[in-house]
Amino acid sequence: MEMATSSQNKRGYHPRVDSLQQSRRASRESSRPRKRVVSQNDAYLFALRVAYLSYLLKPRARRTQNAPAAPRAPQRSSSSIHDLMKDFSLLRDSKSTKFPHGFMAELEKRLTGVIMRREKAPEFHDPAIKRSFGAFLNAFMEQGFKKRMEKDRRVEDLVLIFYSNATKELQKGNIPGDDSWKFLADRHLALFIRLISLILKEGDWSRDRPELSSRLATLENKLLTNDQDLAADPRNGSAIGSTIEVIVPLSFEVKDMPLVQVVARIFRLTDVQVQSDIDKHRSLWTAKAALQDLKTYQTLLNLNSRRTLRSDDFDLEEGYDAWKKSEAPDLAQMIMAIVQSNPELAKSSYNHSIPQLNANASGSEASDSGYSESSRKMSMSEASSYVIDQPVDMSAISSSEASPPIFDREDAFTFIPSDTRAYYRLILSQALGYDLQDETLKASEATAETPALKLLSKQSTELLNEICLRWRLPYVSRIILFLDVIREKFLEQEISLDSLDAAFTFIKEPLPHNKKDANFMSLLLFDPTKWTLQDYALNQQILASLHDALLRDLYDVAQQCYEPKPPSVGPILYVLEHHIYNDPNFSRSPEEIVAFTTQLQEGLREKAFTLYKDYLAKYLPQDQESWQFFDVIELGKAVVTLAQRIQKRYRKNPEIMGANPLTALVETMLPLYSEDARDIVERILHLSAAKGEEVPVEDGFDLYRELVEIRRIHGEALPNIPFAFRIEDLLADFVWRWIKLTESTIIAWVDGAVKQDEFKVRTSTLGLPPTDSERHSVSVIDIFTSFNQTIDRIVQLNWDNDLQYAKFMTALAKVVGDGIARYCEIIEQRFAKEMDRMTPEQEASTTLSRQEKWMQLAKDAWNNKEKIEPFQFFPESFVKLNNIEFAVRQLDKLEKEVNVDACTEVIEKNTPPLSHRQRKVNNYVFTIKIVEAEDLKACDTSGFSDPYVVLADEYQKRLAKTRTIYSNLNPRWDETVDITTQGPLNIIATVWDWDALGDHDYVGRTSIKLDPSHFSDFMPREYWLDLDTQGRLLLRVSMEGERDDIQFYFGKAFRTLKRTERDMARKVTDKLSAYINHCLSRRALKSLLSRGISISSVSSYFNRNRPQQALQAPSQAEITDALKPLFAYFDDNFAIMNQTLTREAMIMVMTRLWKEVLITIESLVVPALSDKPSQQRQLNQQELDIVFKWLQLLFDFFHAVDEETKEENGVPLDILQSPKYFDIKTLNFFYFDSTDSLIRTSERMASATAARQQTQRNRLSAPAALTSMPFGGAAGLLGTPSHRKSKSIMLSRNLGTMRKAKEDKRKEAQADPNDDMILRILRMRPEAERYLRDRSRQKERLAAAAAAEMIVRQSIMAGGGRMTGSLPRR
């Protein structure tokens, strides 16, 4: 039982109990009767006696009967009202005689009801009564009186005030000497008291104040001693008699004895048997015998007899004194109750000179202990005989008579057995056993804290209380014996754990009638200093026995914790914690708890082991040949599901008495599963390999996910125990197989996506132009969806090996690159086919003869067509261009999601240094840029050619083809192609002249050998290759070793996309370049200055030998008008493009057109760079001014700034202001300088550049780049390192690196000016021929020296490794 902390401190050492248990002192044995076995019949008879005595002492019922009227003078019931009130207050205490709160308001309502004649009782209808009650109500309504009454709450004050007001009212109108009104005053006062009693009863207040109700009834009886009928007229007699109340005599039948019936039920006897026993012993079981028992008990108590408790029965003397003092007032009350029910007993005594009993004697002392108060309150019930109805003259009762010799005999009492504890325990056990089996007994209502329960019925409780009262069992003894019976029932499994909890709760939290009673009981129950030693020892035995039983139950219940629906351990733990461990009388050693925890934890492990064996038998086939990954997965899922269920089940309370079910489970199951999973998987793989079969990849992935989840749980639960094996090492082959399978199908994926694509704009809203997100087709969406799904498949595995994961991503990057390359190849082929289609006029001309074709051309020239129609682009073509632009953005997004840099870092961190390994390169990627040609052979009658270049290998396999440059003997292509080879490769470059009529003409051929050993420094080189006819071709070549590197693969894919995008955009601009060249040609300048021919006339294209007219300076309007046809042509074509192209693609095409414009203007002003003089004439000042004005007009046109909003709608400013744009702008500073001045400026700039390069070589380990390209000669044939940085794959791995490379190139051009433009001007000066030749030789020498120095330095740095074929790793 739970007790106060102060009590616990006091009971730290119990010398009396220890002495009792260890030595069994003789004095203790002699002071207590030996425990004997109590028969059920004896217990029944003593219980029957008490129940029968309760019937005898119960207040008698009253009934009314007619009585003949006898003439008599009215008499008062007492000499004065003050005497009556003195009797009323004889046994008053401070609370029991006060009326409750709220009583005054109810009394006011009832008084008003009497006056208004709303009271149903006829006795209140008399007019005189209404007068008396009205007079009292007037006094009652005074605020001062009501306030005083609500404060004091004394009934005596109400009675006296009513009597005073009634007397005054009844005296009015009576003649002097007439005292009949006094009788009416007594009668009216009796009715007032009856009204008070009715209010208390109807308001359910009489239960809490039994003594007040008893006093009121006694006072009413005294007031009506001579008149029992309040309904009759008190002033008139009756000739035939009156009605009076008489006491109903006892029937002595069992049916009228409630407690006797309870005894019969609990002992399973019939009423006939019990009636027979009562009739047999009725002469002995009398009230007089009960009175004699009490007197004998008083005597034995004073004599310190063994038949009562003695000081040796208590640990402390104070406890015994407190108990003894509490017995005296209880005994006095019980004696008074017996005498009240049998007044004649007061006259039959041994001595007639006993003084009158003082009812308040020892009251203050006894009340301190709580014994007397608790005894009375436990017995206050409707069936209790412990009720005093009226004062009794106790003068004849003596408690100090001499003790007869029979007092020490065991049969000295009639109603009290020799061993009260043993008898009470047996009766309690009988009552509890019966009530538990009684199906008619309703359980208590369930609450939020407690379920519906039933222990003792109300009738059984009343019987037990009456027995304890008569046998003088202390309150604590009753509780301890109750617990002892509960313990016995619990151990015999007659009651549940809930009933055990309810029993403890009942004794700790009783339901007293008021807080004061609860305080008395709590002080007594939780203060062991007032307990008997026997109660204390028995309580310890009860707690120890229950503790052992509960631990056994807890162990059994905990063993079921892994079941799907296990019983809860919460109720057992609750009882242990709140009722056993919190009780200071219970002592336990830490070693016992640790031992139980260890035992429970071991039991849980054994249970987990058994359960795992059951799982093995359930999920794993007996035949090893039938094992599959699915079986391992299902076994793992069962283990994980169980662990998760146990974790969720015990989330709030993870431990049971220190034992953790989840820990026991995972410590047992997870290591077993990890070892078994490893062995099973290895066995499955071995058997599959022996059969020549492969386990499906999906099964491997499912197994990995399950094993990883189990490993996660293993790591959280067992952080210090490693998992049995590395899952990734065992299952990595499944990922490689899946990647290999993906690689083998990627080309088919791409082909299928393109085949199903119609390359149409996807419009979601009819009538509205498509958004940029709708201007690409489904094929590019499909392939990138496939790419993302492919990568997500590995990502979602959450592969827990960074190095392996990085290698997986590297392999997937190669797969993605292959798919993108294939997509670009197909798209570019289809795009080229669409762009190279013939116009309707060209198709018609194919059917004409050669003479008819010439006649048609002459006719068109003669008609002088003013309007040039825009090229009719197919929407499908622009959708393809949009697809490439969309692919670039999607690939950049994919590169960020894959986290390419992190993968590279992981691989480099886990790769040995270069000095410890030799990385053999098998594939080399050569990047060949076809830059330009000069002095080509003229193949057309116009004196020009329409050249294009075809690259092929030594087996005549075409590798690349450039676009066609029309009417140009010094064409510039600037087109790039990648060629992958495993060794030296001979490349043949053939220049052809495009001809719309007949076969294409041969212009010239040259060759170059691509040898990886010549490019071991990985620096770009430029080659001027002489053609076998005339002229030469400039190629820029660079090499990279193809690397198994994720950055390399993404860079290669990006570069493929950007080149495809660039080539497709160039094909678009090529359709417009002819007209650009026509509008921005020298012939257009001449026409503008001569003002004789329209700038848009096509006939001027053929009339080349027309004599020149005198040139005059045109106005600004004429210069602007000269470009209007070109602007209109651009607008017409842009309108067609804008219908399909995205904004990004549109800007890209416009940017490409701007570059064509810059190239055309540059070629108009200066010739290409070379070491030979040019036949091109230098423009005069007028012509140059017109060119620069054209440049500004075109700049503004492509910038497209809105005049109102100032918003830029065209090409961004940073793109328009390119290095070539600034080079053209700077021409104005040098164009008309003298030749000598230009040579001096060139020499000065060359010296500054050489000094700057030397400084860089001294500061950096890498060689400095040369300042300009060579002009030919031996160095040109061997190839010279170029000052231009190659666009390597590693610099193209995402949009960020590509933008950075472009920005670096712009900054380098601005920071390192050169004299190229001056040299190009000097080509138009014949007198500068020698300088150009000398300068070319100087550059060749400097380039050869720089190349040699660079090769030597790199060889020294690499320790010879580069010369042996090993390539550096970025």
Side-chain angles (χ1 to χ4, degrees):
M1 292 175 290
E2 186 176 356
M3 301 184 180
T5 305
S6 58
S7 302
Q8 183 178 1
N9 295 334
K10 293 179 182 179
R11 304 294 291 189
Y13 172 67
H14 206 311
R16 301 294 291 274
V17 173
D18 296 340
S19 176
L20 176 68
Q21 293 177 346
Q22 294 175 7
S23 60
R24 298 185 177 272
R25 294 179 305 164
S27 60
R28 182 69 181 85
E29 294 296 328
S30 61
S31 65
R32 180 168 304 284
R34 296 183 181 274
K35 186 176 181 180
R36 61 172 182 164
V37 179
V38 179
S39 67
Q40 185 172 343
N41 186 63
D42 291 343
Y44 154 70
L45 289 177
F46 274 100
L48 184 61
R49 297 179 197 189
V50 174
Y52 175 68
L53 179 61
S54 174
Y55 171 72
L56 294 179
L57 302 182
K58 187 176 182 179
R60 307 291 176 81
R62 299 176 184 273
R63 66 185 179 188
T64 60
Q65 66 181 25
N66 294 326
R72 57 182 176 81
Q75 298 180 356
R76 300 261 340 258
S77 62
S78 180
S79 59
S80 68
I81 188 63
H82 296 287
D83 293 337
L84 293 176
M85 295 310 298
K86 182 177 180 181
D87 292 341
F88 178 83
S89 59
L90 179 63
L91 296 177
R92 183 190 69 192
D93 62 22
S94 60
K95 184 173 183 179
S96 61
T97 58
K98 289 185 178 182
F99 55 78
H101 293 288
F103 174 78
M104 295 293 290
E106 189 64 28
L107 177 60
E108 181 180 346
K109 293 180 182 179
R110 300 298 288 270
L111 290 173
T112 304
V114 171
I115 296 173
M116 302 299 294
R117 202 165 181 172
R118 290 198 296 263
E119 280 293 330
K120 297 180 180 180
E123 58 265 27
F124 291 103
H125 296 168
D126 191 291
I129 291 176
K130 294 173 63 177
R131 288 171 47 209
S132 299
F133 275 65
F136 171 72
L137 182 60
N138 292 333
F140 180 82
M141 295 300 293
E142 294 181 3
Q143 295 298 324
F145 176 75
K146 290 180 67 176
K147 186 175 182 180
R148 186 172 67 256
M149 287 296 99
E150 290 176 354
K151 178 180 180 182
D152 297 337
R153 298 188 290 119
R154 296 193 302 175
V155 177
E156 300 95 308
D157 297 340
L158 286 176
V159 172
L160 291 175
I161 295 300
F162 180 88
Y163 186 77
S164 175
N165 284 277
T167 300
K168 292 178 183 179
E169 184 65 28
L170 293 174
Q171 281 180 344
K172 296 178 182 179
N174 291 329
I175 61 176
D178 184 5
D179 294 337
S180 61
W181 62 271
K182 295 183 179 179
F183 178 77
L184 288 177
D186 291 347
R187 179 183 178 85
H188 292 184
L189 180 60
L191 285 173
F192 178 69
I193 293 173
R194 177 171 294 185
L195 183 64
I196 293 175
S197 299
L198 289 174
I199 294 174
L200 291 175
K201 184 176 181 181
E202 293 174 2
D204 201 21
W205 288 316
S206 59
R207 184 187 306 174
D208 296 339
R209 290 165 172 77
E211 294 186 19
L212 176 60
S213 301
S214 176
R215 294 298 88 219
L216 291 172
T218 301
L219 181 58
E220 180 185 343
N221 290 337
K222 284 191 175 185
L223 290 170
L224 300 176
T225 301
N226 298 313
D227 188 1
Q228 299 295 328
D229 188 4
L230 291 175
D233 188 352
R235 294 168 295 186
N236 301 321
S238 176
I240 60 175
S242 62
T243 301
I244 62 173
E245 287 185 351
V246 297
I247 298 176
V248 178
L250 298 175
S251 65
F252 296 101
E253 295 180 359
V254 173
K255 64 182 181 64
D256 298 327
M257 306 176 187
L259 293 187
V260 172
Q261 295 176 5
V262 175
V263 173
R265 285 198 298 270
I266 65 176
F267 284 95
R268 273 78 172 181
L269 299 175
T270 63
D271 290 350
V272 176
Q273 293 173 308
V274 176
Q275 186 70 57
S276 174
D277 291 334
I278 290 176
D279 294 340
K280 180 179 178 181
H281 299 92
R282 193 167 69 180
S283 60
L284 299 177
W285 299 348
T286 62
K288 181 177 180 180
L291 181 62
Q292 183 60 42
D293 281 358
L294 294 177
K295 293 165 63 178
T296 302
Y297 182 83
Q298 279 184 322
T299 302
L300 295 177
L301 181 64
N302 294 330
L303 294 176
N304 200 22
S305 170
R306 65 182 180 85
R307 295 299 303 274
T308 64
L309 294 177
R310 300 193 304 172
S311 61
D312 289 343
D313 294 317
F314 291 85
D315 182 30
L316 300 177
E317 198 69 30
E318 292 81 357
Y320 172 70
D321 292 340
W323 170 79
K324 186 174 182 181
K325 289 178 181 179
S326 68
E327 286 291 277
D330 279 356
L331 292 174
Q333 295 282 1
M334 294 172 65
I335 291 173
M336 188 176 297
I338 295 175
V339 173
Q340 177 188 355
S341 63
N342 295 275
E344 66 276 3
L345 292 180
K347 303 177 181 179
S348 59
S349 175
Y350 298 108
N351 192 342
H352 299 281
S353 59
I354 302 285
Q356 184 176 359
L357 174 67
N358 183 2
N360 292 328
S362 305
S364 60
E365 297 179 0
S367 63
D368 293 339
S369 66
Y371 277 102
S372 175
E373 192 68 28
S374 62
S375 298
R376 287 198 303 273
K377 296 306 175 184
M378 289 293 291
S379 304
M380 287 300 178
S381 62
E382 296 179 1
S384 176
S385 61
Y386 190 15
V387 178
I388 304 175
D389 290 336
Q390 59 185 358
V392 180
D393 185 8
M394 302 293 294
S395 59
I397 304 300
S398 172
S399 61
S400 59
E401 299 175 354
S403 176
I406 63 173
F407 282 179
D408 287 336
R409 292 163 38 189
E410 292 189 359
D411 58 350
F413 299 99
T414 302
F415 292 93
I416 303 176
S418 57
D419 190 350
T420 55
R421 294 174 63 90
Y423 278 83
Y424 177 76
R425 188 187 184 285
L426 194 149
I427 296 170
L428 175 61
S429 178
Q430 284 291 122
L432 184 61
Y434 175 81
D435 289 340
L436 291 175
Q437 298 176 5
D438 186 6
E439 297 180 356
T440 62
L441 178 61
K442 294 183 179 180
S444 63
E445 294 185 2
T447 64
E449 288 99 15
T450 59
L453 300 171
K454 65 176 184 178
L455 289 173
L456 289 171
S457 64
K458 180 180 179 182
Q459 296 80 5
S460 299
T461 303
E462 292 174 352
L463 173 64
L464 294 172
N465 287 340
E466 189 69 20
I467 291 174
C468 291
L469 177 69
R470 293 298 163 190
W471 293 358
R472 306 310 303 148
L473 274 175
Y475 175 71
V476 174
S477 298
R478 307 179 198 179
I479 296 302
I480 300 303
L481 291 173
F482 173 74
L483 281 182
D484 191 32
V485 173
I486 289 294
R487 173 195 60 81
E488 180 183 34
K489 298 291 184 184
F490 180 73
L491 296 181
E492 294 176 358
Q493 298 183 356
E494 295 183 19
I495 63 174
S496 64
L497 186 66
D498 291 335
S499 300
L500 177 64
D501 176 42
F504 274 106
T505 303
F506 172 75
I507 64 174
K508 292 179 184 179
E509 301 174 4
L511 301 175
H513 299 298
N514 53 61
K515 295 182 178 179
K516 182 178 179 182
D517 300 336
N519 293 335
F520 282 149
M521 296 178 184
S522 299
L523 290 174
L524 184 61
L525 182 61
F526 300 143
D527 187 4
T529 60
K530 298 181 180 180
W531 291 18
T532 65
L533 295 177
Q534 193 171 5
D535 288 337
Y536 189 86
L538 180 58
N539 183 50
Q540 286 188 322
Q541 295 175 10
I542 294 171
L543 294 177
S545 177
L546 286 176
H547 178 252
D548 294 341
L550 289 172
L551 287 186
R552 288 193 296 271
D553 291 349
L554 179 63
Y555 183 89
D556 295 338
V557 172
Q559 293 299 302
Q560 306 175 52
C561 68
Y562 301 135
E563 300 297 329
K565 293 183 179 180
S568 175
V569 298
I572 301 178
L573 293 175
Y574 179 86
V575 174
L576 280 171
E577 184 66 27
H578 289 78
H579 303 316
I580 305 298
Y581 295 146
N582 285 350
D583 196 321
N585 294 326
F586 176 74
S587 60
R588 58 171 177 171
S589 64
E591 292 77 12
E592 294 177 354
I593 301 301
V594 171
F596 175 77
T597 301
T598 303
Q599 182 182 5
L600 179 57
Q601 191 77 11
E602 187 60 33
L604 292 175
R605 290 193 184 96
E606 293 177 359
K607 187 68 177 178
F609 179 78
T610 302
L611 188 59
Y612 179 74
K613 291 299 183 183
D614 295 340
Y615 281 173
L616 276 180
K618 179 179 179 181
Y619 295 105
L620 200 63
Q622 295 294 327
D623 183 15
Q624 294 187 7
E625 300 288 337
S626 303
W627 286 356
Q628 298 178 1
F629 281 2
F630 177 77
D631 302 326
V632 183
I633 294 173
E634 289 301 307
L635 178 61
K637 285 182 177 179
V639 173
V640 171
T641 302
L642 178 60
Q644 292 174 343
R645 185 168 68 241
I646 298 303
Q647 183 183 28
K648 181 178 179 181
R649 182 179 296 167
Y650 297 99
R651 180 175 300 164
K652 295 183 178 179
N653 300 298
E655 292 187 350
I656 303 175
M657 290 288 290
N660 192 313
L662 180 61
T663 301
L665 178 72
V666 297
E667 286 180 349
T668 304
M669 280 195 172
L670 293 186
L672 289 173
Y673 175 79
S674 62
E675 294 174 1
D676 289 345
R678 176 195 59 201
D679 297 339
I680 295 172
V681 171
E682 289 179 349
R683 182 61 178 169
I684 293 174
L685 294 176
H686 176 73
L687 292 175
S688 298
K691 296 177 182 178
E693 300 175 353
E694 286 186 342
V695 179
V697 172
E698 291 299 326
D699 292 353
F701 286 176
D702 293 340
L703 177 63
Y704 177 78
R705 280 189 285 267
E706 190 64 33
L707 290 178
V708 166
E709 176 64 16
I710 294 176
R711 184 174 61 186
R712 181 189 64 80
I713 298 175
H714 185 284
E716 292 176 355
L718 309 173
N720 298 324
I721 301 177
F723 201 68
F725 65 103
R726 288 290 302 171
I727 305 173
E728 288 74 19
D729 295 341
L730 187 61
L731 300 179
D733 184 60
F734 287 91
V735 181
W736 289 118
R737 285 171 50 198
W738 184 81
I739 293 175
K740 184 177 180 181
L741 178 64
T742 304
E743 184 178 10
S744 64
T745 58
I746 189 68
I747 303 301
W749 289 358
V750 174
D751 292 345
V754 174
K755 185 177 181 180
Q756 297 177 3
D757 194 0
E758 296 180 355
F759 295 99
K760 292 183 179 180
V761 173
R762 299 170 296 110
T763 305
S764 58
T765 305
L766 296 176
L768 295 178
T771 62
D772 278 2
S773 61
E774 298 173 338
R775 292 178 182 245
H776 50 266
S777 61
V778 295
S779 61
V780 70
I781 299 177
D782 292 342
I783 65 169
F784 272 94
T785 299
S786 300
F787 294 159
N788 282 284
Q789 290 176 351
T790 300
I791 293 176
D792 287 343
R793 192 63 184 279
I794 303 301
V795 173
Q796 291 171 1
L797 288 176
N798 295 318
W799 200 263
D800 194 17
N801 185 308
D802 291 343
L803 179 59
Q804 291 180 347
Y805 176 80
K807 291 182 178 180
F808 295 157
M809 290 296 106
T810 301
L812 287 178
K814 183 178 183 301
V815 173
V816 170
D818 293 343
I820 288 176
R822 177 59 178 171
Y823 186 74
C824 290
E825 179 185 357
I826 299 175
I827 294 299
E828 191 170 10
Q829 288 175 356
R830 294 193 175 193
F831 185 84
K833 185 177 180 180
E834 293 167 355
M835 298 300 294
D836 294 341
R837 73 185 188 280
M838 293 183 180
T839 63
E841 293 81 1
Q842 291 174 337
E843 292 180 356
S845 66
T846 56
T847 61
L848 301 177
S849 64
R850 186 175 184 85
Q851 183 178 1
E852 289 174 337
K853 293 179 182 178
W854 282 109
M855 291 297 295
Q856 183 65 38
L857 288 174
K859 184 179 179 180
D860 292 340
W862 181 261
N863 290 333
N864 192 16
K865 290 186 177 179
E866 294 289 337
K867 178 67 174 176
I868 301 299
E869 296 295 331
F871 186 82
Q872 296 301 317
F873 297 100
F874 285 165
E876 294 84 352
S877 302
F878 289 147
V879 170
K880 294 181 177 66
L881 185 57
N882 292 339
N883 285 358
I884 299 299
E885 183 267 329
F886 176 80
V888 172
R889 290 188 283 112
Q890 290 299 309
L891 184 63
D892 185 66
K893 180 180 178 182
L894 186 63
E895 191 263 353
K896 290 182 174 62
E897 293 176 351
V898 171
N899 200 351
V900 170
D901 294 338
C903 292
T904 303
E905 182 180 353
V906 169
I907 293 177
E908 290 180 351
K909 191 179 297 183
N910 292 274
T911 303
L914 184 62
S915 58
H916 297 164
R917 60 189 171 92
Q918 292 296 327
R919 188 171 183 270
K920 194 68 175 178
V921 178
N922 295 323
N923 293 331
Y924 303 93
V925 179
F926 282 93
T927 301
I928 301 176
K929 183 173 185 179
I930 305 171
V931 183
E932 62 179 338
E934 64 179 25
D935 294 335
L936 295 181
K937 181 178 70 173
C939 297
D940 296 337
T941 57
S942 61
F944 293 94
S945 294
D946 302 324
Y948 66 91
V949 180
V950 175
L951 295 184
D953 61 11
E954 54 193 359
Y955 302 104
Q956 299 301 315
K957 177 183 178 181
R958 176 180 286 194
L959 302 177
K961 173 183 176 294
T962 68
R963 73 188 191 282
T964 301
I965 305 296
Y966 296 97
S967 302
N968 202 324
L969 298 179
N970 299 289
R972 188 177 185 90
W973 293 279
D974 286 328
E975 294 191 22
T976 306
V977 62
D978 285 342
I979 299 175
T980 302
T981 179
Q982 295 182 350
L985 178 67
N986 290 320
I987 298 297
I988 299 173
T990 305
V991 183
W992 295 91
D993 170 58
W994 182 86
D995 196 347
L997 304 176
D999 296 334
H1000 298 180
D1001 298 327
Y1002 175 81
V1003 176
R1005 178 179 290 114
T1006 187
S1007 65
I1008 184 174
K1009 182 177 183 180
L1010 302 180
D1011 191 344
S1013 62
H1014 296 164
F1015 291 84
S1016 59
D1017 56 357
F1018 298 97
M1019 294 297 293
R1021 284 171 167 73
E1022 293 182 345
Y1023 297 90
W1024 276 105
L1025 305 176
D1026 292 330
L1027 299 179
D1028 57 356
T1029 54
Q1030 75 174 56
R1032 56 182 181 173
L1033 179 67
L1034 177 61
L1035 299 181
R1036 185 176 297 128
V1037 183
S1038 63
M1039 184 194 76
E1040 287 185 273
E1042 186 168 294
R1043 303 165 51 180
D1044 187 18
D1045 184 283
I1046 188 171
Q1047 290 181 337
F1048 178 85
Y1049 292 132
F1050 268 98
K1052 188 176 180 180
F1054 267 108
R1055 192 162 70 172
T1056 301
L1057 284 172
K1058 294 302 291 184
R1059 285 183 177 174
T1060 302
E1061 183 181 56
R1062 181 193 61 200
D1063 293 343
M1064 292 172 69
R1066 180 173 286 168
K1067 288 183 181 298
V1068 173
T1069 58
D1070 284 347
K1071 298 301 178 182
L1072 312 180
S1073 60
Y1075 195 63
I1076 295 174
N1077 292 329
H1078 171 70
C1079 294
L1080 300 177
S1081 64
R1082 288 179 175 255
R1083 200 172 273 112
L1085 274 175
K1086 183 178 179 181
S1087 299
L1088 179 60
L1089 291 173
S1090 65
R1091 305 176 191 173
I1093 303 176
S1094 173
I1095 194 171
S1096 60
S1097 176
V1098 180
S1099 61
S1100 63
Y1101 182 77
F1102 301 98
N1103 192 3
R1104 300 179 182 269
N1105 298 321
R1106 184 175 180 177
Q1108 296 186 0
Q1109 301 177 5
L1111 300 179
Q1112 298 180 7
S1115 64
Q1116 181 64 38
E1118 291 175 334
I1119 295 174
T1120 304
D1121 291 341
L1123 290 185
K1124 282 185 177 180
L1126 180 61
F1127 292 156
Y1129 184 68
F1130 282 157
D1131 288 336
D1132 292 342
N1133 283 278
F1134 289 166
I1136 297 173
M1137 297 177 189
N1138 199 41
Q1139 294 177 0
T1140 309
L1141 288 178
T1142 63
R1143 176 170 175 78
E1144 290 292 331
M1146 190 70 188
I1147 295 298
M1148 178 185 62
V1149 172
M1150 292 176 67
T1151 301
R1152 185 62 206 172
L1153 276 176
W1154 172 246
K1155 291 181 180 180
E1156 289 290 335
V1157 168
L1158 292 179
I1159 292 172
T1160 303
I1161 291 180
E1162 182 186 45
S1163 64
L1164 180 65
V1165 178
V1166 293
L1169 187 63
S1170 176
D1171 59 345
K1172 298 179 180 180
S1174 173
Q1175 299 299 321
Q1176 183 172 334
R1177 180 182 61 84
Q1178 186 171 346
L1179 299 179
N1180 57 34
Q1181 186 65 53
Q1182 271 190 343
E1183 293 173 332
L1184 188 63
D1185 291 342
I1186 293 174
V1187 170
F1188 278 107
K1189 288 179 181 179
W1190 282 351
L1191 179 63
Q1192 186 61 45
L1193 290 172
L1194 289 165
F1195 183 93
D1196 296 337
F1197 176 82
F1198 279 92
H1199 196 199
V1201 176
D1202 191 289
E1203 295 181 357
E1204 296 181 358
T1205 63
K1206 303 303 180 182
E1207 181 181 359
E1208 298 179 359
N1209 298 316
V1211 181
L1213 192 62
D1214 59 333
I1215 296 178
L1216 291 174
Q1217 295 176 343
S1218 63
K1220 185 176 290 294
Y1221 172 78
F1222 285 111
D1223 287 344
I1224 296 173
K1225 296 285 285 186
T1226 58
L1227 280 174
N1228 205 22
F1229 297 102
F1230 306 103
Y1231 200 73
F1232 296 107
D1233 283 359
S1234 65
T1235 303
D1236 293 340
S1237 177
L1238 291 175
I1239 292 175
R1240 286 194 299 271
T1241 304
S1242 175
E1243 289 177 343
R1244 186 171 58 252
M1245 295 178 68
S1247 299
T1249 302
R1252 186 164 52 250
Q1253 292 177 351
Q1254 184 62 38
T1255 303
Q1256 291 178 353
R1257 284 198 296 268
N1258 295 335
R1259 185 175 69 250
L1260 303 176
S1261 59
L1266 296 181
T1267 59
S1268 63
M1269 67 183 70
F1271 292 99
L1277 294 176
L1278 294 175
T1280 306
S1282 171
H1283 74 290
R1284 301 175 182 269
K1285 289 186 177 179
S1286 66
K1287 296 180 180 179
S1288 68
I1289 292 177
M1290 299 305 293
L1291 293 178
S1292 306
R1293 62 181 182 270
N1294 56 44
L1295 290 179
T1297 58
M1298 295 170 72
R1299 293 191 188 101
K1300 186 176 184 301
K1302 189 176 293 185
E1303 184 64 25
D1304 291 344
K1305 180 180 178 181
R1306 178 190 297 272
K1307 291 180 180 179
E1308 181 182 355
Q1310 295 174 354
D1312 189 17
N1314 56 65
D1315 60 343
D1316 286 354
M1317 278 299 178
I1318 296 177
L1319 295 176
R1320 295 174 72 173
I1321 296 174
L1322 289 174
R1323 285 196 65 197
M1324 296 183 293
R1325 309 285 179 90
E1327 62 272 18
E1329 180 179 0
R1330 182 176 179 181
Y1331 175 75
L1332 291 174
R1333 187 169 55 252
D1334 293 341
R1335 181 64 189 279
S1336 174
R1337 293 173 181 173
Q1338 178 189 7
K1339 286 189 175 185
E1340 290 176 5
R1341 290 194 300 269
L1342 291 175
E1349 181 182 359
M1350 178 174 56
I1351 294 174
V1352 171
R1353 184 176 299 174
Q1354 289 181 350
S1355 177
I1356 294 175
M1357 291 175 59
R1362 295 181 186 271
M1363 305 304 292
T1364 58
S1366 297
L1367 298 182
R1369 179 182 175 88
R1370 291 184 67 87

